[in-house]
PDB file of all heavy atoms in Angstrom:
ATOM      1  N   ILE A 160     176.336 -47.022 -22.438  1.00  0.00           N
ATOM      2  CA  ILE A 160     175.568 -48.266 -22.616  1.00  0.00           C
ATOM      3  C   ILE A 160     175.701 -49.087 -21.334  1.00  0.00           C
ATOM      4  O   ILE A 160     176.751 -49.094 -20.673  1.00  0.00           O
ATOM      5  CB  ILE A 160     176.060 -49.059 -23.832  1.00  0.00           C
ATOM      6  CG1 ILE A 160     175.105 -50.223 -24.144  1.00  0.00           C
ATOM      7  CG2 ILE A 160     177.492 -49.539 -23.664  1.00  0.00           C
ATOM      8  CD1 ILE A 160     175.417 -50.948 -25.457  1.00  0.00           C
ATOM      9  N   SER A 161     174.627 -49.770 -20.987  1.00  0.00           N
ATOM     10  CA  SER A 161     174.657 -50.650 -19.815  1.00  0.00           C
ATOM     11  C   SER A 161     173.631 -51.763 -20.067  1.00  0.00           C
ATOM     12  O   SER A 161     172.793 -51.664 -20.956  1.00  0.00           O
ATOM     13  CB  SER A 161     174.353 -49.907 -18.526  1.00  0.00           C
ATOM     14  OG  SER A 161     173.042 -49.342 -18.558  1.00  0.00           O
ATOM     15  N   ARG A 162     173.726 -52.803 -19.258  1.00  0.00           N
ATOM     16  CA  ARG A 162     172.771 -53.891 -19.388  1.00  0.00           C
ATOM     17  C   ARG A 162     172.467 -54.451 -18.015  1.00  0.00           C
ATOM     18  O   ARG A 162     173.304 -54.429 -17.110  1.00  0.00           O
ATOM     19  CB  ARG A 162     173.304 -54.990 -20.320  1.00  0.00           C
ATOM     20  CG  ARG A 162     174.510 -55.733 -19.816  1.00  0.00           C
ATOM     21  CD  ARG A 162     175.067 -56.663 -20.907  1.00  0.00           C
ATOM     22  NE  ARG A 162     174.135 -57.733 -21.246  1.00  0.00           N
ATOM     23  CZ  ARG A 162     174.164 -58.418 -22.380  1.00  0.00           C
ATOM     24  NH1 ARG A 162     175.088 -58.133 -23.305  1.00  0.00           N
ATOM     25  NH2 ARG A 162     173.298 -59.388 -22.607  1.00  0.00           N
ATOM     26  N   ASP A 163     171.239 -54.968 -17.891  1.00  0.00           N
ATOM     27  CA  ASP A 163     170.815 -55.639 -16.679  1.00  0.00           C
ATOM     28  C   ASP A 163     170.348 -57.036 -17.116  1.00  0.00           C
ATOM     29  O   ASP A 163     169.239 -57.174 -17.637  1.00  0.00           O
ATOM     30  CB  ASP A 163     169.702 -54.855 -16.003  1.00  0.00           C
ATOM     31  CG  ASP A 163     169.287 -55.452 -14.658  1.00  0.00           C
ATOM     32  OD1 ASP A 163     169.512 -56.647 -14.431  1.00  0.00           O
ATOM     33  OD2 ASP A 163     168.744 -54.699 -13.835  1.00  0.00           O
ATOM     34  N   ASN A 164     171.190 -58.010 -16.925  1.00  0.00           N
ATOM     35  CA  ASN A 164     170.852 -59.354 -17.386  1.00  0.00           C
ATOM     36  C   ASN A 164     169.691 -59.972 -16.588  1.00  0.00           C
ATOM     37  O   ASN A 164     168.992 -60.837 -17.115  1.00  0.00           O
ATOM     38  CB  ASN A 164     172.075 -60.267 -17.326  1.00  0.00           C
ATOM     39  CG  ASN A 164     173.062 -59.964 -18.443  1.00  0.00           C
ATOM     40  OD1 ASN A 164     172.754 -59.218 -19.391  1.00  0.00           O
ATOM     41  ND2 ASN A 164     174.236 -60.531 -18.362  1.00  0.00           N
ATOM     42  N   ALA A 165     169.470 -59.494 -15.381  1.00  0.00           N
ATOM     43  CA  ALA A 165     168.342 -59.997 -14.600  1.00  0.00           C
ATOM     44  C   ALA A 165     167.023 -59.481 -15.154  1.00  0.00           C
ATOM     45  O   ALA A 165     165.985 -60.144 -15.007  1.00  0.00           O
ATOM     46  CB  ALA A 165     168.489 -59.578 -13.146  1.00  0.00           C
ATOM     47  N   LYS A 166     167.072 -58.326 -15.806  1.00  0.00           N
ATOM     48  CA  LYS A 166     165.849 -57.726 -16.375  1.00  0.00           C
ATOM     49  C   LYS A 166     165.790 -57.902 -17.884  1.00  0.00           C
ATOM     50  O   LYS A 166     164.877 -57.391 -18.539  1.00  0.00           O
ATOM     51  CB  LYS A 166     165.780 -56.248 -16.023  1.00  0.00           C
ATOM     52  CG  LYS A 166     165.625 -55.964 -14.536  1.00  0.00           C
ATOM     53  CD  LYS A 166     165.478 -54.484 -14.268  1.00  0.00           C
ATOM     54  CE  LYS A 166     165.271 -54.233 -12.785  1.00  0.00           C
ATOM     55  NZ  LYS A 166     165.161 -52.776 -12.481  1.00  0.00           N
ATOM     56  N   ASN A 167     166.793 -58.583 -18.451  1.00  0.00           N
ATOM     57  CA  ASN A 167     166.815 -58.775 -19.917  1.00  0.00           C
ATOM     58  C   ASN A 167     166.670 -57.440 -20.655  1.00  0.00           C
ATOM     59  O   ASN A 167     165.860 -57.312 -21.582  1.00  0.00           O
ATOM     60  CB  ASN A 167     165.720 -59.739 -20.375  1.00  0.00           C
ATOM     61  CG  ASN A 167     166.087 -61.187 -20.153  1.00  0.00           C
ATOM     62  OD1 ASN A 167     167.008 -61.497 -19.412  1.00  0.00           O
ATOM     63  ND2 ASN A 167     165.343 -62.074 -20.791  1.00  0.00           N
ATOM     64  N   THR A 168     167.449 -56.478 -20.237  1.00  0.00           N
ATOM     65  CA  THR A 168     167.324 -55.150 -20.841  1.00  0.00           C
ATOM     66  C   THR A 168     168.699 -54.514 -21.037  1.00  0.00           C
ATOM     67  O   THR A 168     169.584 -54.659 -20.181  1.00  0.00           O
ATOM     68  CB  THR A 168     166.466 -54.222 -19.941  1.00  0.00           C
ATOM     69  OG1 THR A 168     165.193 -54.834 -19.713  1.00  0.00           O
ATOM     70  CG2 THR A 168     166.239 -52.881 -20.598  1.00  0.00           C
ATOM     71  N   VAL A 169     168.840 -53.834 -22.139  1.00  0.00           N
ATOM     72  CA  VAL A 169     170.039 -53.033 -22.401  1.00  0.00           C
ATOM     73  C   VAL A 169     169.599 -51.585 -22.539  1.00  0.00           C
ATOM     74  O   VAL A 169     168.511 -51.297 -23.056  1.00  0.00           O
ATOM     75  CB  VAL A 169     170.786 -53.530 -23.658  1.00  0.00           C
ATOM     76  CG1 VAL A 169     169.920 -53.447 -24.902  1.00  0.00           C
ATOM     77  CG2 VAL A 169     172.094 -52.775 -23.865  1.00  0.00           C
ATOM     78  N   TYR A 170     170.424 -50.710 -22.047  1.00  0.00           N
ATOM     79  CA  TYR A 170     170.093 -49.280 -22.006  1.00  0.00           C
ATOM     80  C   TYR A 170     171.138 -48.460 -22.780  1.00  0.00           C
ATOM     81  O   TYR A 170     172.298 -48.845 -22.893  1.00  0.00           O
ATOM     82  CB  TYR A 170     170.078 -48.772 -20.555  1.00  0.00           C
ATOM     83  CG  TYR A 170     169.146 -49.547 -19.647  1.00  0.00           C
ATOM     84  CD1 TYR A 170     169.627 -50.557 -18.842  1.00  0.00           C
ATOM     85  CD2 TYR A 170     167.777 -49.246 -19.580  1.00  0.00           C
ATOM     86  CE1 TYR A 170     168.794 -51.281 -18.017  1.00  0.00           C
ATOM     87  CE2 TYR A 170     166.935 -49.958 -18.748  1.00  0.00           C
ATOM     88  CZ  TYR A 170     167.440 -50.975 -17.960  1.00  0.00           C
ATOM     89  OH  TYR A 170     166.595 -51.670 -17.120  1.00  0.00           O
ATOM     90  N   LEU A 171     170.668 -47.306 -23.241  1.00  0.00           N
ATOM     91  CA  LEU A 171     171.578 -46.328 -23.832  1.00  0.00           C
ATOM     92  C   LEU A 171     171.213 -44.975 -23.241  1.00  0.00           C
ATOM     93  O   LEU A 171     170.192 -44.393 -23.595  1.00  0.00           O
ATOM     94  CB  LEU A 171     171.491 -46.298 -25.353  1.00  0.00           C
ATOM     95  CG  LEU A 171     172.452 -45.312 -26.021  1.00  0.00           C
ATOM     96  CD1 LEU A 171     173.896 -45.726 -25.774  1.00  0.00           C
ATOM     97  CD2 LEU A 171     172.186 -45.237 -27.522  1.00  0.00           C
ATOM     98  N   GLN A 172     172.039 -44.507 -22.334  1.00  0.00           N
ATOM     99  CA  GLN A 172     171.864 -43.172 -21.760  1.00  0.00           C
ATOM    100  C   GLN A 172     172.567 -42.168 -22.643  1.00  0.00           C
ATOM    101  O   GLN A 172     173.774 -42.291 -22.889  1.00  0.00           O
ATOM    102  CB  GLN A 172     172.440 -43.124 -20.336  1.00  0.00           C
ATOM    103  CG  GLN A 172     172.339 -41.766 -19.677  1.00  0.00           C
ATOM    104  CD  GLN A 172     170.912 -41.358 -19.377  1.00  0.00           C
ATOM    105  OE1 GLN A 172     170.120 -42.167 -18.904  1.00  0.00           O
ATOM    106  NE2 GLN A 172     170.572 -40.106 -19.664  1.00  0.00           N
ATOM    107  N   MET A 173     171.821 -41.216 -23.131  1.00  0.00           N
ATOM    108  CA  MET A 173     172.360 -40.219 -24.053  1.00  0.00           C
ATOM    109  C   MET A 173     172.270 -38.845 -23.424  1.00  0.00           C
ATOM    110  O   MET A 173     171.160 -38.365 -23.176  1.00  0.00           O
ATOM    111  CB  MET A 173     171.598 -40.270 -25.394  1.00  0.00           C
ATOM    112  CG  MET A 173     171.561 -41.647 -26.026  1.00  0.00           C
ATOM    113  SD  MET A 173     170.794 -41.653 -27.661  1.00  0.00           S
ATOM    114  CE  MET A 173     169.115 -41.211 -27.239  1.00  0.00           C
ATOM    115  N   ASN A 174     173.393 -38.248 -23.159  1.00  0.00           N
ATOM    116  CA  ASN A 174     173.467 -36.912 -22.571  1.00  0.00           C
ATOM    117  C   ASN A 174     174.095 -35.922 -23.551  1.00  0.00           C
ATOM    118  O   ASN A 174     174.717 -36.341 -24.538  1.00  0.00           O
ATOM    119  CB  ASN A 174     174.296 -36.954 -21.295  1.00  0.00           C
ATOM    120  CG  ASN A 174     173.714 -37.841 -20.224  1.00  0.00           C
ATOM    121  OD1 ASN A 174     172.490 -37.998 -20.134  1.00  0.00           O
ATOM    122  ND2 ASN A 174     174.555 -38.434 -19.400  1.00  0.00           N
ATOM    123  N   SER A 175     173.921 -34.652 -23.267  1.00  0.00           N
ATOM    124  CA  SER A 175     174.503 -33.590 -24.112  1.00  0.00           C
ATOM    125  C   SER A 175     174.195 -33.841 -25.578  1.00  0.00           C
ATOM    126  O   SER A 175     175.070 -33.762 -26.458  1.00  0.00           O
ATOM    127  CB  SER A 175     176.021 -33.522 -23.886  1.00  0.00           C
ATOM    128  OG  SER A 175     176.319 -33.269 -22.534  1.00  0.00           O
ATOM    129  N   LEU A 176     172.937 -34.118 -25.857  1.00  0.00           N
ATOM    130  CA  LEU A 176     172.543 -34.460 -27.218  1.00  0.00           C
ATOM    131  C   LEU A 176     172.734 -33.284 -28.168  1.00  0.00           C
ATOM    132  O   LEU A 176     172.570 -32.117 -27.789  1.00  0.00           O
ATOM    133  CB  LEU A 176     171.110 -34.931 -27.243  1.00  0.00           C
ATOM    134  CG  LEU A 176     170.915 -36.396 -26.752  1.00  0.00           C
ATOM    135  CD1 LEU A 176     169.486 -36.644 -26.344  1.00  0.00           C
ATOM    136  CD2 LEU A 176     171.366 -37.366 -27.822  1.00  0.00           C
ATOM    137  N   LYS A 177     173.091 -33.635 -29.392  1.00  0.00           N
ATOM    138  CA  LYS A 177     173.334 -32.657 -30.441  1.00  0.00           C
ATOM    139  C   LYS A 177     172.375 -32.911 -31.596  1.00  0.00           C
ATOM    140  O   LYS A 177     171.911 -34.047 -31.779  1.00  0.00           O
ATOM    141  CB  LYS A 177     174.771 -32.767 -30.930  1.00  0.00           C
ATOM    142  CG  LYS A 177     175.827 -32.640 -29.859  1.00  0.00           C
ATOM    143  CD  LYS A 177     177.221 -32.892 -30.438  1.00  0.00           C
ATOM    144  CE  LYS A 177     178.281 -32.780 -29.375  1.00  0.00           C
ATOM    145  NZ  LYS A 177     179.644 -33.027 -29.929  1.00  0.00           N
ATOM    146  N   PRO A 178     172.091 -31.894 -32.405  1.00  0.00           N
ATOM    147  CA  PRO A 178     171.223 -32.113 -33.571  1.00  0.00           C
ATOM    148  C   PRO A 178     171.735 -33.240 -34.470  1.00  0.00           C
ATOM    149  O   PRO A 178     170.907 -33.954 -35.051  1.00  0.00           O
ATOM    150  CB  PRO A 178     171.252 -30.764 -34.281  1.00  0.00           C
ATOM    151  CG  PRO A 178     171.472 -29.773 -33.171  1.00  0.00           C
ATOM    152  CD  PRO A 178     172.410 -30.458 -32.221  1.00  0.00           C
ATOM    153  N   GLU A 179     173.026 -33.410 -34.562  1.00  0.00           N
ATOM    154  CA  GLU A 179     173.561 -34.477 -35.416  1.00  0.00           C
ATOM    155  C   GLU A 179     173.342 -35.880 -34.847  1.00  0.00           C
ATOM    156  O   GLU A 179     173.642 -36.883 -35.513  1.00  0.00           O
ATOM    157  CB  GLU A 179     175.055 -34.265 -35.700  1.00  0.00           C
ATOM    158  CG  GLU A 179     175.898 -34.015 -34.475  1.00  0.00           C
ATOM    159  CD  GLU A 179     176.151 -32.544 -34.201  1.00  0.00           C
ATOM    160  OE1 GLU A 179     175.167 -31.740 -34.308  1.00  0.00           O
ATOM    161  OE2 GLU A 179     177.293 -32.184 -33.880  1.00  0.00           O
ATOM    162  N   ASP A 180     172.826 -35.974 -33.634  1.00  0.00           N
ATOM    163  CA  ASP A 180     172.450 -37.278 -33.075  1.00  0.00           C
ATOM    164  C   ASP A 180     171.068 -37.716 -33.544  1.00  0.00           C
ATOM    165  O   ASP A 180     170.647 -38.836 -33.262  1.00  0.00           O
ATOM    166  CB  ASP A 180     172.454 -37.224 -31.534  1.00  0.00           C
ATOM    167  CG  ASP A 180     173.848 -37.000 -30.962  1.00  0.00           C
ATOM    168  OD1 ASP A 180     174.807 -37.615 -31.462  1.00  0.00           O
ATOM    169  OD2 ASP A 180     173.945 -36.197 -30.003  1.00  0.00           O
ATOM    170  N   THR A 181     170.362 -36.854 -34.237  1.00  0.00           N
ATOM    171  CA  THR A 181     169.041 -37.180 -34.742  1.00  0.00           C
ATOM    172  C   THR A 181     169.107 -38.360 -35.693  1.00  0.00           C
ATOM    173  O   THR A 181     169.849 -38.339 -36.664  1.00  0.00           O
ATOM    174  CB  THR A 181     168.424 -35.964 -35.445  1.00  0.00           C
ATOM    175  OG1 THR A 181     168.223 -34.922 -34.497  1.00  0.00           O
ATOM    176  CG2 THR A 181     167.084 -36.330 -36.090  1.00  0.00           C
ATOM    177  N   ALA A 182     168.328 -39.395 -35.392  1.00  0.00           N
ATOM    178  CA  ALA A 182     168.325 -40.627 -36.194  1.00  0.00           C
ATOM    179  C   ALA A 182     167.319 -41.602 -35.607  1.00  0.00           C
ATOM    180  O   ALA A 182     166.772 -41.373 -34.514  1.00  0.00           O
ATOM    181  CB  ALA A 182     169.714 -41.266 -36.173  1.00  0.00           C
ATOM    182  N   VAL A 183     167.083 -42.656 -36.346  1.00  0.00           N
ATOM    183  CA  VAL A 183     166.388 -43.817 -35.784  1.00  0.00           C
ATOM    184  C   VAL A 183     167.452 -44.689 -35.121  1.00  0.00           C
ATOM    185  O   VAL A 183     168.447 -45.030 -35.751  1.00  0.00           O
ATOM    186  CB  VAL A 183     165.614 -44.595 -36.854  1.00  0.00           C
ATOM    187  CG1 VAL A 183     164.964 -45.830 -36.237  1.00  0.00           C
ATOM    188  CG2 VAL A 183     164.571 -43.700 -37.513  1.00  0.00           C
ATOM    189  N   TYR A 184     167.215 -45.019 -33.879  1.00  0.00           N
ATOM    190  CA  TYR A 184     168.162 -45.829 -33.119  1.00  0.00           C
ATOM    191  C   TYR A 184     167.655 -47.254 -33.044  1.00  0.00           C
ATOM    192  O   TYR A 184     166.492 -47.499 -32.701  1.00  0.00           O
ATOM    193  CB  TYR A 184     168.356 -45.258 -31.723  1.00  0.00           C
ATOM    194  CG  TYR A 184     169.270 -44.048 -31.717  1.00  0.00           C
ATOM    195  CD1 TYR A 184     168.839 -42.830 -32.267  1.00  0.00           C
ATOM    196  CD2 TYR A 184     170.554 -44.098 -31.202  1.00  0.00           C
ATOM    197  CE1 TYR A 184     169.672 -41.725 -32.304  1.00  0.00           C
ATOM    198  CE2 TYR A 184     171.379 -43.001 -31.213  1.00  0.00           C
ATOM    199  CZ  TYR A 184     170.942 -41.804 -31.786  1.00  0.00           C
ATOM    200  OH  TYR A 184     171.786 -40.720 -31.786  1.00  0.00           O
ATOM    201  N   TYR A 185     168.551 -48.187 -33.329  1.00  0.00           N
ATOM    202  CA  TYR A 185     168.232 -49.604 -33.329  1.00  0.00           C
ATOM    203  C   TYR A 185     169.097 -50.358 -32.338  1.00  0.00           C
ATOM    204  O   TYR A 185     170.298 -50.117 -32.246  1.00  0.00           O
ATOM    205  CB  TYR A 185     168.487 -50.227 -34.699  1.00  0.00           C
ATOM    206  CG  TYR A 185     167.693 -49.654 -35.833  1.00  0.00           C
ATOM    207  CD1 TYR A 185     168.145 -48.551 -36.557  1.00  0.00           C
ATOM    208  CD2 TYR A 185     166.458 -50.224 -36.194  1.00  0.00           C
ATOM    209  CE1 TYR A 185     167.419 -48.029 -37.606  1.00  0.00           C
ATOM    210  CE2 TYR A 185     165.721 -49.682 -37.239  1.00  0.00           C
ATOM    211  CZ  TYR A 185     166.204 -48.598 -37.946  1.00  0.00           C
ATOM    212  OH  TYR A 185     165.460 -48.080 -38.978  1.00  0.00           O
ATOM    213  N   CYS A 186     168.477 -51.256 -31.572  1.00  0.00           N
ATOM    214  CA  CYS A 186     169.303 -52.174 -30.807  1.00  0.00           C
ATOM    215  C   CYS A 186     169.442 -53.457 -31.598  1.00  0.00           C
ATOM    216  O   CYS A 186     168.590 -53.792 -32.422  1.00  0.00           O
ATOM    217  CB  CYS A 186     168.753 -52.424 -29.402  1.00  0.00           C
ATOM    218  SG  CYS A 186     167.347 -53.538 -29.305  1.00  0.00           S
ATOM    219  N   ALA A 187     170.540 -54.144 -31.353  1.00  0.00           N
ATOM    220  CA  ALA A 187     170.859 -55.336 -32.098  1.00  0.00           C
ATOM    221  C   ALA A 187     171.537 -56.349 -31.165  1.00  0.00           C
ATOM    222  O   ALA A 187     172.227 -55.960 -30.213  1.00  0.00           O
ATOM    223  CB  ALA A 187     171.780 -55.017 -33.267  1.00  0.00           C
ATOM    224  N   GLY A 188     171.349 -57.624 -31.462  1.00  0.00           N
ATOM    225  CA  GLY A 188     171.918 -58.665 -30.650  1.00  0.00           C
ATOM    226  C   GLY A 188     172.761 -59.623 -31.459  1.00  0.00           C
ATOM    227  O   GLY A 188     172.449 -59.912 -32.627  1.00  0.00           O
ATOM    228  N   ARG A 189     173.827 -60.112 -30.821  1.00  0.00           N
ATOM    229  CA  ARG A 189     174.724 -61.079 -31.461  1.00  0.00           C
ATOM    230  C   ARG A 189     175.015 -62.171 -30.461  1.00  0.00           C
ATOM    231  O   ARG A 189     175.472 -61.894 -29.351  1.00  0.00           O
ATOM    232  CB  ARG A 189     176.039 -60.403 -31.876  1.00  0.00           C
ATOM    233  CG  ARG A 189     177.085 -61.385 -32.352  1.00  0.00           C
ATOM    234  CD  ARG A 189     178.434 -60.732 -32.559  1.00  0.00           C
ATOM    235  NE  ARG A 189     179.438 -61.756 -32.820  1.00  0.00           N
ATOM    236  CZ  ARG A 189     179.626 -62.285 -34.012  1.00  0.00           C
ATOM    237  NH1 ARG A 189     178.919 -61.892 -35.053  1.00  0.00           N
ATOM    238  NH2 ARG A 189     180.549 -63.218 -34.178  1.00  0.00           N
ATOM    239  N   SER A 190     174.792 -63.414 -30.858  1.00  0.00           N
ATOM    240  CA  SER A 190     175.022 -64.529 -29.948  1.00  0.00           C
ATOM    241  C   SER A 190     176.524 -64.710 -29.706  1.00  0.00           C
ATOM    242  O   SER A 190     177.322 -64.762 -30.638  1.00  0.00           O
ATOM    243  CB  SER A 190     174.435 -65.820 -30.555  1.00  0.00           C
ATOM    244  OG  SER A 190     174.708 -66.923 -29.722  1.00  0.00           O
ATOM    245  N   GLY A 191     176.889 -64.799 -28.455  1.00  0.00           N
ATOM    246  CA  GLY A 191     178.266 -65.128 -28.085  1.00  0.00           C
ATOM    247  C   GLY A 191     179.240 -64.001 -28.295  1.00  0.00           C
ATOM    248  O   GLY A 191     178.919 -62.822 -28.180  1.00  0.00           O
ATOM    249  N   PHE A 192     180.470 -64.370 -28.626  1.00  0.00           N
ATOM    250  CA  PHE A 192     181.558 -63.421 -28.732  1.00  0.00           C
ATOM    251  C   PHE A 192     181.754 -62.992 -30.175  1.00  0.00           C
ATOM    252  O   PHE A 192     181.122 -63.488 -31.080  1.00  0.00           O
ATOM    253  CB  PHE A 192     182.853 -64.057 -28.197  1.00  0.00           C
ATOM    254  CG  PHE A 192     182.749 -64.517 -26.782  1.00  0.00           C
ATOM    255  CD1 PHE A 192     182.540 -65.856 -26.498  1.00  0.00           C
ATOM    256  CD2 PHE A 192     182.850 -63.618 -25.735  1.00  0.00           C
ATOM    257  CE1 PHE A 192     182.433 -66.291 -25.193  1.00  0.00           C
ATOM    258  CE2 PHE A 192     182.744 -64.039 -24.441  1.00  0.00           C
ATOM    259  CZ  PHE A 192     182.531 -65.374 -24.156  1.00  0.00           C
ATOM    260  N   GLY A 193     182.628 -62.049 -30.344  1.00  0.00           N
ATOM    261  CA  GLY A 193     182.950 -61.601 -31.705  1.00  0.00           C
ATOM    262  C   GLY A 193     184.111 -60.643 -31.677  1.00  0.00           C
ATOM    263  O   GLY A 193     184.386 -60.000 -30.677  1.00  0.00           O
ATOM    264  N   MET A 194     184.805 -60.583 -32.795  1.00  0.00           N
ATOM    265  CA  MET A 194     185.912 -59.652 -32.919  1.00  0.00           C
ATOM    266  C   MET A 194     185.371 -58.250 -33.115  1.00  0.00           C
ATOM    267  O   MET A 194     184.226 -58.046 -33.549  1.00  0.00           O
ATOM    268  CB  MET A 194     186.819 -60.086 -34.066  1.00  0.00           C
ATOM    269  CG  MET A 194     187.443 -61.444 -33.862  1.00  0.00           C
ATOM    270  SD  MET A 194     188.578 -61.887 -35.173  1.00  0.00           S
ATOM    271  CE  MET A 194     189.884 -60.711 -34.881  1.00  0.00           C
ATOM    272  N   MET A 195     186.224 -57.267 -32.867  1.00  0.00           N
ATOM    273  CA  MET A 195     185.820 -55.869 -32.961  1.00  0.00           C
ATOM    274  C   MET A 195     185.182 -55.541 -34.293  1.00  0.00           C
ATOM    275  O   MET A 195     184.184 -54.817 -34.362  1.00  0.00           O
ATOM    276  CB  MET A 195     187.041 -54.982 -32.732  1.00  0.00           C
ATOM    277  CG  MET A 195     186.754 -53.500 -32.742  1.00  0.00           C
ATOM    278  SD  MET A 195     185.803 -52.964 -31.318  1.00  0.00           S
ATOM    279  CE  MET A 195     187.094 -52.946 -30.098  1.00  0.00           C
ATOM    280  N   GLU A 196     185.717 -56.072 -35.382  1.00  0.00           N
ATOM    281  CA  GLU A 196     185.206 -55.698 -36.694  1.00  0.00           C
ATOM    282  C   GLU A 196     183.768 -56.169 -36.882  1.00  0.00           C
ATOM    283  O   GLU A 196     183.016 -55.595 -37.677  1.00  0.00           O
ATOM    284  CB  GLU A 196     186.095 -56.263 -37.795  1.00  0.00           C
ATOM    285  CG  GLU A 196     186.149 -57.772 -37.863  1.00  0.00           C
ATOM    286  CD  GLU A 196     187.020 -58.263 -39.008  1.00  0.00           C
ATOM    287  OE1 GLU A 196     187.390 -57.457 -39.862  1.00  0.00           O
ATOM    288  OE2 GLU A 196     187.323 -59.475 -39.036  1.00  0.00           O
ATOM    289  N   LEU A 197     183.369 -57.204 -36.184  1.00  0.00           N
ATOM    290  CA  LEU A 197     181.996 -57.667 -36.259  1.00  0.00           C
ATOM    291  C   LEU A 197     181.109 -56.966 -35.237  1.00  0.00           C
ATOM    292  O   LEU A 197     179.954 -56.644 -35.534  1.00  0.00           O
ATOM    293  CB  LEU A 197     181.934 -59.184 -36.042  1.00  0.00           C
ATOM    294  CG  LEU A 197     182.491 -60.037 -37.183  1.00  0.00           C
ATOM    295  CD1 LEU A 197     182.428 -61.500 -36.814  1.00  0.00           C
ATOM    296  CD2 LEU A 197     181.764 -59.783 -38.476  1.00  0.00           C
ATOM    297  N   LEU A 198     181.627 -56.693 -34.081  1.00  0.00           N
ATOM    298  CA  LEU A 198     180.827 -56.025 -33.036  1.00  0.00           C
ATOM    299  C   LEU A 198     180.519 -54.578 -33.374  1.00  0.00           C
ATOM    300  O   LEU A 198     179.612 -54.001 -32.798  1.00  0.00           O
ATOM    301  CB  LEU A 198     181.546 -56.108 -31.703  1.00  0.00           C
ATOM    302  CG  LEU A 198     181.587 -57.511 -31.057  1.00  0.00           C
ATOM    303  CD1 LEU A 198     182.564 -57.513 -29.887  1.00  0.00           C
ATOM    304  CD2 LEU A 198     180.219 -57.949 -30.616  1.00  0.00           C
ATOM    305  N   THR A 199     181.262 -54.003 -34.306  1.00  0.00           N
ATOM    306  CA  THR A 199     181.045 -52.604 -34.692  1.00  0.00           C
ATOM    307  C   THR A 199     180.411 -52.462 -36.055  1.00  0.00           C
ATOM    308  O   THR A 199     180.352 -51.351 -36.606  1.00  0.00           O
ATOM    309  CB  THR A 199     182.364 -51.824 -34.664  1.00  0.00           C
ATOM    310  OG1 THR A 199     183.300 -52.464 -35.525  1.00  0.00           O
ATOM    311  CG2 THR A 199     182.937 -51.751 -33.245  1.00  0.00           C
ATOM    312  N   ALA A 200     179.888 -53.541 -36.607  1.00  0.00           N
ATOM    313  CA  ALA A 200     179.287 -53.503 -37.945  1.00  0.00           C
ATOM    314  C   ALA A 200     177.904 -54.140 -37.930  1.00  0.00           C
ATOM    315  O   ALA A 200     177.666 -55.125 -37.235  1.00  0.00           O
ATOM    316  CB  ALA A 200     180.165 -54.245 -38.948  1.00  0.00           C
ATOM    317  N   PRO A 201     176.960 -53.583 -38.706  1.00  0.00           N
ATOM    318  CA  PRO A 201     175.621 -54.191 -38.753  1.00  0.00           C
ATOM    319  C   PRO A 201     175.643 -55.655 -39.122  1.00  0.00           C
ATOM    320  O   PRO A 201     174.846 -56.448 -38.600  1.00  0.00           O
ATOM    321  CB  PRO A 201     174.906 -53.344 -39.837  1.00  0.00           C
ATOM    322  CG  PRO A 201     175.587 -52.028 -39.786  1.00  0.00           C
ATOM    323  CD  PRO A 201     177.025 -52.335 -39.496  1.00  0.00           C
TER     324      PRO A 201
END
């Protein structure tokens, strides 16, 4: 994962993809900071 704040864009580079990676991928945003339990949960 990476981000370019000048371009207002976040990226997800996915290499060595596996069939189990098949899914709908969603990006999500959270204002400010957060503890791990929140940053890793929908």
Side-chain angles (χ1 to χ4, degrees):
I160 190 172
S161 62
R162 66 188 295 159
D163 185 337
N164 285 350
K166 295 183 178 179
N167 281 15
T168 304
V169 60
Y170 305 96
L171 182 64
Q172 178 68 43
M173 305 185 295
N174 298 329
S175 302
L176 283 161
K177 304 175 181 180
E179 51 263 44
D180 294 318
T181 295
V183 177
Y184 283 70
Y185 299 89
C186 77
R189 172 188 172 82
S190 178
F192 302 100
M194 298 183 68
M195 182 70 77
E196 65 178 348
L197 290 178
L198 289 169
T199 56

